[in-house]
Coordinates of all heavy atoms in Angstrom, one line a residue:
A119 N -32.8 -26.6 -1.5 CA -32.8 -26.0 -0.2 C -31.4 -26.0 0.4 O -30.9 -25.0 1.0 CB -33.9 -26.6 0.7
I120 N -30.8 -27.2 0.3 CA -29.5 -27.3 0.9 C -28.5 -26.4 0.1 O -27.7 -25.7 0.8 CB -28.9 -28.8 0.7 CG1 -29.8 -29.8 1.5 CG2 -27.4 -28.9 1.1 CD1 -29.5 -31.3 1.3
A121 N -28.5 -26.3 -1.1 CA -27.7 -25.5 -2.0 C -27.9 -24.0 -1.6 O -26.9 -23.2 -1.4 CB -27.9 -25.8 -3.4
E122 N -29.2 -23.7 -1.4 CA -29.5 -22.3 -1.1 C -29.1 -21.8 0.3 O -28.7 -20.7 0.5 CB -31.0 -22.0 -1.2 CG -31.4 -21.9 -2.6 CD -33.0 -21.9 -2.7 OE1 -33.8 -21.9 -1.8 OE2 -33.5 -21.8 -3.9
C123 N -28.7 -22.8 1.2 CA -28.2 -22.5 2.5 C -26.7 -22.5 2.4 O -26.0 -22.3 3.4 CB -28.6 -23.5 3.5 SG -30.2 -23.1 4.2
G124 N -26.2 -22.7 1.3 CA -24.6 -22.8 1.0 C -24.0 -24.0 1.3 O -22.8 -24.2 1.5
G125 N -24.9 -25.1 1.3 CA -24.3 -26.4 1.5 C -24.1 -26.9 2.9 O -24.2 -26.0 3.8
I126 N -23.9 -28.1 3.3 CA -23.9 -28.7 4.6 C -22.5 -28.5 5.1 O -21.5 -28.8 4.6 CB -24.4 -30.1 4.6 CG1 -25.9 -30.1 4.3 CG2 -24.2 -30.7 6.0 CD1 -26.5 -31.4 4.2
D127 N -22.4 -27.9 6.3 CA -21.1 -27.7 6.9 C -20.7 -28.9 7.6 O -19.4 -29.3 7.5 CB -21.1 -26.5 7.9 CG -21.3 -25.1 7.3 OD1 -20.6 -24.8 6.4 OD2 -22.3 -24.5 7.8
L128 N -21.6 -29.4 8.4 CA -21.2 -30.7 9.2 C -22.3 -31.7 9.1 O -23.5 -31.4 9.5 CB -20.9 -30.3 10.6 CG -20.7 -31.5 11.6 CD1 -19.4 -32.2 11.3 CD2 -20.6 -30.9 13.0
Q129 N -22.1 -32.9 8.6 CA -23.0 -33.9 8.4 C -22.8 -35.0 9.5 O -21.8 -35.6 9.5 CB -23.0 -34.5 7.0 CG -24.1 -35.6 6.9 CD -25.5 -35.1 6.8 OE1 -25.9 -34.3 6.2 NE2 -26.2 -35.8 7.9
L130 N -23.9 -35.3 10.3 CA -23.9 -36.3 11.3 C -24.4 -37.6 10.7 O -25.5 -37.5 10.1 CB -24.7 -35.8 12.5 CG -24.6 -36.6 13.8 CD1 -23.2 -36.7 14.3 CD2 -25.4 -35.8 14.8
L131 N -23.7 -38.7 10.9 CA -24.1 -40.0 10.3 C -24.2 -41.0 11.3 O -23.3 -41.2 12.1 CB -23.3 -40.3 9.2 CG -23.1 -39.3 8.0 CD1 -21.8 -39.7 7.3 CD2 -24.4 -39.5 7.1
G132 N -25.2 -42.0 11.2 CA -25.0 -43.3 11.9 C -24.7 -44.3 10.7 O -24.6 -44.0 9.6
I133 N -24.7 -45.6 11.1 CA -24.6 -46.6 10.0 C -25.5 -47.8 10.3 O -25.6 -48.2 11.5 CB -23.1 -47.1 9.9 CG1 -22.8 -48.1 8.9 CG2 -22.6 -47.6 11.4 CD1 -21.4 -48.4 8.6
G134 N -26.2 -48.2 9.2 CA -27.1 -49.4 9.5 C -26.2 -50.7 9.3 O -25.1 -50.7 8.9
T135 N -26.8 -51.8 9.8 CA -26.1 -52.9 9.8 C -25.8 -53.6 8.4 O -24.9 -54.4 8.2 CB -26.8 -54.1 10.5 OG1 -28.2 -54.1 10.1 CG2 -26.8 -53.9 12.1
D136 N -26.5 -53.0 7.5 CA -26.1 -53.3 6.0 C -25.2 -52.3 5.4 O -25.0 -52.3 4.2 CB -27.5 -53.4 5.2 CG -28.3 -52.1 5.1 OD1 -27.7 -51.1 5.6 OD2 -29.3 -52.2 4.5
G137 N -24.8 -51.3 6.2 CA -23.7 -50.3 5.7 C -24.4 -49.1 5.2 O -23.7 -48.2 4.7
H138 N -25.7 -49.0 5.3 CA -26.4 -47.8 4.8 C -26.0 -46.5 5.7 O -25.8 -46.6 6.8 CB -27.9 -47.9 4.7 CG -28.6 -47.9 5.9 ND1 -29.9 -48.6 6.0 CD2 -28.5 -47.2 7.2 CE1 -30.3 -48.4 7.2 NE2 -29.5 -47.7 7.9
I139 N -25.9 -45.3 5.0 CA -25.9 -44.1 5.6 C -27.1 -43.4 5.1 O -27.3 -43.4 3.9 CB -24.6 -43.4 5.3 CG1 -24.2 -43.4 3.8 CG2 -23.5 -43.8 6.3 CD1 -22.9 -42.6 3.5
G140 N -27.9 -42.7 6.0 CA -29.1 -42.2 5.5 C -29.9 -43.5 5.1 O -29.8 -44.6 5.9
F141 N -30.8 -43.4 4.1 CA -31.3 -44.7 3.6 C -30.6 -45.2 2.4 O -31.3 -45.7 1.4 CB -32.8 -44.5 3.3 CG -33.7 -44.7 4.7 CD1 -34.9 -43.9 4.8 CD2 -33.4 -45.7 5.6 CE1 -35.7 -44.1 5.9 CE2 -34.3 -45.8 6.7 CZ -35.4 -45.1 6.9
N142 N -29.4 -44.8 2.3 CA -28.7 -45.3 1.1 C -28.3 -46.8 1.1 O -27.3 -47.2 1.7 CB -27.4 -44.5 0.8 CG -27.7 -43.1 0.4 OD1 -28.2 -42.9 -0.8 ND2 -27.6 -42.2 1.3
E143 N -29.2 -47.7 0.7 CA -29.1 -49.1 1.0 C -28.0 -49.6 -0.1 O -27.5 -48.8 -1.0 CB -30.3 -49.7 0.5 CG -31.5 -49.2 1.5 CD -31.4 -49.7 2.9 OE1 -30.3 -50.0 3.4 OE2 -32.4 -49.9 3.6
P144 N -27.5 -50.9 0.1 CA -26.5 -51.4 -0.8 C -26.9 -51.2 -2.2 O -28.0 -51.4 -2.6 CB -26.4 -52.9 -0.3 CG -26.9 -52.9 1.1 CD -28.0 -51.8 1.2
L145 N -25.9 -50.9 -3.0 CA -25.9 -50.7 -4.4 C -26.4 -49.3 -4.7 O -26.7 -48.9 -5.9 CB -26.8 -51.7 -5.3 CG -25.9 -53.1 -5.2 CD1 -26.8 -54.1 -6.1 CD2 -24.6 -52.9 -5.8
S146 N -26.6 -48.4 -3.7 CA -26.8 -47.0 -4.0 C -25.6 -46.4 -4.7 O -24.5 -46.6 -4.3 CB -26.9 -46.1 -2.7 OG -28.2 -46.4 -2.0
A147 N -25.9 -45.6 -5.8 CA -24.9 -45.1 -6.6 C -24.0 -44.2 -5.7 O -24.6 -43.4 -4.9 CB -25.4 -44.3 -7.8
L148 N -22.7 -44.3 -5.9 CA -21.8 -43.4 -5.0 C -22.0 -41.9 -5.3 O -21.6 -41.1 -4.6 CB -20.4 -43.9 -5.2 CG -20.1 -45.4 -4.9 CD1 -18.7 -45.7 -4.9 CD2 -20.6 -45.8 -3.4
R149 N -22.7 -41.6 -6.5 CA -22.9 -40.2 -6.9 C -24.3 -39.8 -6.7 O -24.8 -38.8 -7.2 CB -22.4 -39.9 -8.3 CG -20.8 -40.1 -8.4 CD -20.4 -39.9 -9.8 NE -20.4 -38.5 -10.2 CZ -20.1 -38.0 -11.2 NH1 -19.5 -38.8 -12.2 NH2 -20.1 -36.8 -11.6
S150 N -25.2 -40.7 -6.0 CA -26.5 -40.5 -5.9 C -26.9 -39.2 -5.2 O -26.2 -38.6 -4.3 CB -27.3 -41.7 -5.3 OG -26.6 -41.8 -4.0
R151 N -28.1 -38.6 -5.5 CA -28.6 -37.4 -4.9 C -29.8 -37.9 -4.2 O -30.3 -38.9 -4.2 CB -29.0 -36.4 -6.0 CG -28.0 -36.2 -7.0 CD -26.6 -35.7 -6.5 NE -26.6 -34.5 -5.7 CZ -25.7 -33.9 -5.1 NH1 -24.4 -34.3 -5.5 NH2 -25.8 -32.9 -4.4
T152 N -30.5 -36.8 -3.5 CA -31.7 -37.1 -2.7 C -32.7 -37.7 -3.7 O -33.1 -37.1 -4.7 CB -32.3 -35.7 -2.1 OG1 -31.1 -35.1 -1.4 CG2 -33.5 -36.0 -1.3
R153 N -33.4 -38.8 -3.2 CA -34.3 -39.6 -3.9 C -35.0 -40.5 -3.1 O -34.7 -40.7 -2.0 CB -33.5 -40.4 -5.1 CG -32.8 -41.5 -4.5 CD -31.5 -41.8 -5.3 NE -30.8 -42.9 -4.7 CZ -30.0 -42.9 -3.7 NH1 -30.1 -41.8 -2.8 NH2 -29.4 -44.0 -3.2
E154 N -36.1 -41.2 -3.7 CA -36.9 -42.2 -3.1 C -36.1 -43.4 -3.1 O -35.5 -43.8 -4.2 CB -38.3 -42.3 -3.8 CG -39.1 -43.2 -3.1 CD -40.4 -43.4 -3.8 OE1 -40.6 -42.9 -4.9 OE2 -41.3 -44.2 -3.4
K155 N -36.0 -44.2 -2.1 CA -35.3 -45.5 -2.1 C -36.2 -46.6 -1.5 O -36.8 -46.4 -0.4 CB -34.0 -45.3 -1.3 CG -33.0 -46.2 -1.5 CD -32.1 -46.1 -2.7 CE -31.2 -47.2 -3.0 NZ -31.2 -47.8 -4.4
A156 N -36.1 -47.9 -2.1 CA -36.7 -49.0 -1.4 C -35.8 -49.4 -0.2 O -34.6 -49.5 -0.4 CB -36.9 -50.1 -2.5
L157 N -36.4 -49.8 0.9 CA -35.6 -50.2 2.0 C -35.2 -51.7 1.9 O -36.1 -52.5 1.2 CB -36.3 -50.0 3.3 CG -36.7 -48.4 3.5 CD1 -37.4 -48.2 4.9 CD2 -35.6 -47.5 3.4
T158 N -34.1 -52.1 2.4 CA -33.8 -53.6 2.3 C -34.4 -54.4 3.5 O -34.7 -53.8 4.5 CB -32.3 -53.8 2.5 OG1 -31.8 -53.2 3.8 CG2 -31.5 -53.1 1.5
P159 N -34.5 -55.7 3.3 CA -35.0 -56.5 4.4 C -34.2 -56.2 5.7 O -34.8 -56.2 6.9 CB -34.7 -58.0 3.9 CG -34.9 -57.8 2.5 CD -34.3 -56.4 2.1
A160 N -32.8 -56.0 5.6 CA -32.0 -55.8 6.8 C -32.5 -54.6 7.5 O -32.6 -54.5 8.8 CB -30.7 -55.7 6.5
T161 N -32.8 -53.5 6.7 CA -33.2 -52.2 7.4 C -34.7 -52.4 8.0 O -34.9 -51.9 9.1 CB -33.2 -51.1 6.3 OG1 -31.8 -50.9 5.9 CG2 -33.7 -49.8 6.9
I162 N -35.4 -53.0 7.3 CA -36.8 -53.3 7.8 C -36.8 -54.1 9.0 O -37.5 -53.7 10.0 CB -37.7 -54.0 6.6 CG1 -37.9 -53.0 5.5 CG2 -39.1 -54.4 7.3 CD1 -38.4 -53.7 4.2
I163 N -35.8 -55.1 9.2 CA -35.7 -55.8 10.4 C -35.3 -54.9 11.5 O -35.6 -54.9 12.7 CB -34.8 -57.1 10.3 CG1 -35.5 -58.1 9.4 CG2 -34.5 -57.7 11.6 CD1 -34.7 -59.2 8.9
Q164 N -34.1 -54.1 11.2 CA -33.5 -53.2 12.1 C -34.4 -52.3 12.8 O -34.4 -52.0 14.0 CB -32.3 -52.5 11.5 CG -31.5 -51.6 12.4 CD -30.6 -50.6 11.7 OE1 -29.5 -51.1 11.2 NE2 -30.9 -49.3 11.6
N165 N -35.3 -51.7 11.8 CA -36.2 -50.5 12.2 C -37.7 -51.0 12.7 O -38.3 -50.1 13.4 CB -36.3 -49.6 11.2 CG -34.9 -48.7 11.0 OD1 -34.0 -49.2 11.6 ND2 -35.0 -47.7 10.2
S166 N -37.9 -52.2 12.4 CA -39.4 -52.6 12.6 C -39.6 -52.8 14.2 O -40.8 -52.7 14.5 CB -39.9 -53.7 11.8 OG -39.1 -54.9 12.1
K167 N -38.6 -52.8 14.9 CA -38.8 -52.9 16.4 C -39.3 -51.7 17.0 O -39.9 -51.8 18.1 CB -37.4 -53.3 17.1 CG -36.3 -52.4 16.8 CD -35.0 -52.9 17.6 CE -33.8 -52.0 17.4 NZ -33.1 -52.3 16.2
Y168 N -39.3 -50.6 16.2 CA -39.9 -49.4 16.8 C -41.3 -49.3 16.5 O -42.1 -48.3 16.8 CB -39.1 -48.1 16.1 CG -37.7 -48.1 16.6 CD1 -36.8 -48.3 15.5 CD2 -37.3 -48.0 17.8 CE1 -35.3 -48.3 15.9 CE2 -35.9 -48.0 18.1 CZ -35.0 -48.2 17.1 OH -33.6 -48.2 17.5
F169 N -42.0 -50.2 15.6 CA -43.3 -50.1 15.3 C -43.9 -51.2 16.0 O -43.4 -52.2 16.5 CB -43.4 -50.4 13.7 CG -43.0 -49.2 12.9 CD1 -41.6 -49.0 12.7 CD2 -43.8 -48.3 12.3 CE1 -41.1 -48.0 11.9 CE2 -43.3 -47.2 11.6 CZ -42.1 -47.0 11.4
D170 N -45.4 -51.1 16.1 CA -46.1 -52.1 16.9 C -46.1 -53.5 16.2 O -46.0 -54.5 16.9 CB -47.6 -51.7 17.0 CG -47.7 -50.5 17.9 OD1 -46.8 -50.2 18.7 OD2 -48.7 -49.6 17.8
S171 N -46.1 -53.5 14.9 CA -45.8 -54.7 14.2 C -45.1 -54.4 12.9 O -45.1 -53.4 12.4 CB -47.2 -55.3 13.7 OG -47.7 -54.7 12.6
P172 N -44.3 -55.5 12.4 CA -43.4 -55.2 11.3 C -44.1 -54.7 10.1 O -43.6 -53.9 9.3 CB -42.7 -56.6 11.0 CG -42.9 -57.4 12.4 CD -44.1 -56.8 13.0
D173 N -45.5 -55.2 10.0 CA -46.2 -54.7 8.7 C -46.4 -53.2 8.7 O -46.7 -52.7 7.6 CB -47.7 -55.4 8.8 CG -47.7 -56.8 8.9 OD1 -46.6 -57.3 8.6 OD2 -48.7 -57.4 9.1
Q174 N -46.4 -52.5 9.8 CA -46.5 -51.0 9.8 C -45.3 -50.4 9.3 O -45.4 -49.2 9.1 CB -46.9 -50.6 11.3 CG -48.3 -51.1 11.7 CD -48.5 -50.6 13.1 OE1 -47.7 -50.1 13.8 NE2 -49.7 -51.0 13.7
M175 N -44.2 -51.0 9.3 CA -43.0 -50.4 9.0 C -43.0 -49.9 7.4 O -43.2 -50.9 6.7 CB -41.8 -51.3 9.3 CG -40.6 -51.2 8.6 SD -39.5 -50.1 9.6 CE -38.3 -49.7 8.2
P176 N -42.8 -48.7 7.1 CA -42.8 -48.4 5.7 C -41.6 -49.1 5.0 O -40.6 -49.4 5.5 CB -42.5 -46.8 5.7 CG -43.0 -46.4 7.0 CD -42.6 -47.5 8.0
K177 N -41.9 -49.3 3.6 CA -40.9 -50.1 2.9 C -40.0 -49.3 2.0 O -39.2 -49.7 1.3 CB -41.7 -51.1 2.0 CG -42.6 -52.0 2.8 CD -41.9 -53.0 3.8 CE -42.7 -54.0 4.5 NZ -43.6 -53.3 5.5
R178 N -40.4 -47.9 2.1 CA -39.6 -46.9 1.1 C -39.2 -45.6 2.0 O -39.9 -45.4 2.9 CB -40.4 -46.5 -0.1 CG -40.9 -47.7 -0.8 CD -41.6 -47.3 -2.1 NE -40.8 -46.8 -3.1 CZ -40.1 -47.6 -4.0 NH1 -40.2 -48.8 -3.9 NH2 -39.4 -47.0 -4.8
G179 N -38.1 -45.0 1.6 CA -37.8 -43.8 2.4 C -37.3 -42.7 1.2 O -37.2 -43.1 0.2
I180 N -37.3 -41.5 1.7 CA -36.6 -40.4 1.1 C -35.3 -40.3 1.7 O -35.2 -40.2 2.9 CB -37.4 -39.1 1.0 CG1 -38.7 -39.2 0.3 CG2 -36.6 -38.0 0.3 CD1 -39.6 -38.0 0.4
T181 N -34.2 -40.3 0.9 CA -32.9 -40.1 1.5 C -32.0 -39.1 0.7 O -32.0 -39.2 -0.5 CB -32.2 -41.4 1.6 OG1 -30.9 -41.2 2.4 CG2 -31.9 -42.1 0.4
M182 N -31.2 -38.4 1.5 CA -30.0 -37.6 0.7 C -29.3 -38.7 0.1 O -29.2 -39.9 0.5 CB -29.1 -37.0 1.7 CG -29.5 -35.7 2.2 SD -28.1 -35.0 3.2 CE -29.1 -34.0 4.3
G183 N -28.7 -38.5 -1.0 CA -27.8 -39.3 -1.7 C -26.5 -39.5 -1.2 O -26.0 -38.7 -0.3
V184 N -25.7 -40.6 -1.6 CA -24.3 -40.7 -1.1 C -23.6 -39.4 -1.6 O -22.6 -38.9 -0.9 CB -23.6 -42.0 -1.7 CG1 -22.2 -42.2 -1.3 CG2 -24.5 -43.3 -1.2
G185 N -23.8 -39.1 -2.9 CA -23.2 -38.0 -3.5 C -23.4 -36.6 -2.7 O -22.6 -35.8 -2.5
T186 N -24.7 -36.5 -2.2 CA -25.1 -35.3 -1.4 C -24.3 -35.3 -0.1 O -23.7 -34.3 0.2 CB -26.6 -35.4 -1.1 OG1 -27.4 -35.9 -2.1 CG2 -27.2 -34.1 -0.5
I187 N -24.1 -36.4 0.5 CA -23.4 -36.6 1.8 C -21.9 -36.3 1.6 O -21.3 -35.5 2.3 CB -23.6 -38.0 2.4 CG1 -25.0 -38.2 2.8 CG2 -22.6 -38.2 3.5 CD1 -25.4 -39.6 3.1
L188 N -21.4 -36.8 0.4 CA -20.0 -36.4 0.1 C -19.6 -35.0 -0.1 O -18.4 -34.6 0.1 CB -19.5 -37.4 -1.0 CG -19.4 -38.9 -0.7 CD1 -18.9 -39.6 -2.0 CD2 -18.5 -39.2 0.3
E189 N -20.6 -34.3 -0.5 CA -20.4 -32.8 -0.7 C -20.4 -31.9 0.6 O -20.0 -30.8 0.6 CB -21.5 -32.3 -1.5 CG -21.1 -32.5 -2.9 CD -22.3 -32.0 -4.0 OE1 -23.1 -31.3 -3.5 OE2 -22.1 -32.6 -5.1
S190 N -20.8 -32.6 1.8 CA -20.8 -31.8 3.0 C -19.3 -31.4 3.3 O -18.3 -32.2 2.9 CB -21.3 -32.7 4.2 OG -20.6 -33.9 4.3
R191 N -19.1 -30.4 4.0 CA -17.7 -29.9 4.2 C -17.0 -30.8 5.2 O -15.7 -31.0 5.0 CB -17.7 -28.4 4.8 CG -17.9 -27.5 3.5 CD -18.0 -26.0 3.9 NE -18.6 -25.4 2.9 CZ -20.0 -25.0 2.9 NH1 -20.6 -25.3 4.0 NH2 -20.5 -24.5 1.9
S192 N -17.7 -31.3 6.1 CA -17.1 -32.2 7.0 C -18.1 -33.3 7.5 O -19.4 -32.9 7.4 CB -16.5 -31.7 8.3 OG -17.4 -31.0 9.0
C193 N -17.8 -34.4 8.0 CA -18.9 -35.3 8.4 C -18.2 -36.2 9.6 O -17.1 -36.3 9.8 CB -19.3 -36.1 7.4 SG -18.3 -37.4 6.6
I194 N -19.3 -36.6 10.5 CA -18.8 -37.5 11.5 C -19.8 -38.6 11.6 O -21.1 -38.5 11.5 CB -19.0 -36.8 12.9 CG1 -18.3 -35.4 13.0 CG2 -18.7 -37.7 14.1 CD1 -18.6 -34.5 14.2
L195 N -19.2 -39.9 11.5 CA -20.1 -41.1 11.6 C -19.9 -41.6 13.1 O -18.7 -41.8 13.5 CB -19.7 -42.0 10.6 CG -20.5 -43.3 10.5 CD1 -20.8 -43.9 9.1 CD2 -20.0 -44.4 11.4
L196 N -21.0 -41.8 13.7 CA -20.9 -42.4 15.1 C -21.5 -43.8 15.0 O -22.6 -44.0 14.5 CB -21.8 -41.5 16.0 CG -21.9 -42.1 17.4 CD1 -20.6 -42.2 18.2 CD2 -22.9 -41.2 18.2
A197 N -20.8 -44.7 15.5 CA -21.3 -46.2 15.7 C -20.9 -46.7 17.0 O -19.7 -46.6 17.5 CB -20.7 -47.0 14.5
T198 N -21.8 -47.4 17.6 CA -21.6 -47.9 19.0 C -22.2 -49.2 19.0 O -23.2 -49.6 18.4 CB -22.2 -47.0 20.1 OG1 -23.5 -46.9 19.8 CG2 -21.5 -45.7 20.1
G199 N -21.7 -50.1 19.9 CA -22.2 -51.5 20.1 C -21.6 -52.6 19.2 O -21.2 -52.3 18.0
A200 N -21.6 -53.8 19.7 CA -21.0 -55.0 19.0 C -21.7 -55.3 17.7 O -21.0 -55.7 16.8 CB -20.9 -56.0 19.9
D201 N -23.0 -54.9 17.5 CA -23.7 -55.3 16.3 C -23.2 -54.4 15.2 O -23.5 -54.8 14.0 CB -25.2 -55.3 16.6 CG -25.7 -53.9 17.0 OD1 -25.0 -53.2 17.7 OD2 -26.7 -53.5 16.6
K202 N -22.4 -53.3 15.4 CA -21.9 -52.6 14.3 C -20.4 -52.9 14.0 O -19.9 -52.3 13.0 CB -22.1 -51.1 14.7 CG -23.5 -50.5 14.9 CD -24.4 -50.5 13.7 CE -25.8 -50.2 14.0 NZ -26.1 -48.8 14.4
A203 N -19.8 -53.7 14.8 CA -18.3 -54.0 14.6 C -18.0 -54.4 13.2 O -17.1 -53.9 12.7 CB -17.9 -55.0 15.7

Side-chain angles (χ1 to χ4, degrees):
I120 293 171
E122 281 170 6
C123 278
I126 292 172
D127 292 310
L128 172 61
Q129 177 65 57
L130 190 55
L131 299 162
I133 183 170
T135 49
D136 65 358
H138 72 211
I139 45 177
F141 275 143
N142 290 290
E143 301 288 32
L145 292 184
S146 289
L148 300 185
R149 299 176 70 176
S150 52
R151 312 301 307 187
T152 302
R153 70 213 182 288
E154 186 188 358
K155 194 79 190 134
L157 306 182
T158 60
T161 299
I162 293 169
I163 291 167
Q164 178 189 291
N165 290 10
S166 61
K167 57 180 178 279
Y168 301 111
F169 291 77
D170 295 336
S171 83
D173 300 347
Q174 290 175 0
M175 159 91 196
K177 307 293 184 290
R178 305 182 77 76
I180 297 177
T181 182
M182 277 186 208
V184 179
T186 319
I187 293 166
L188 289 179
E189 275 175 16
S190 58
R191 283 180 200 94
S192 65
C193 68
I194 303 171
L195 184 145
L196 172 64
T198 58
D201 59 329
K202 299 286 174 73

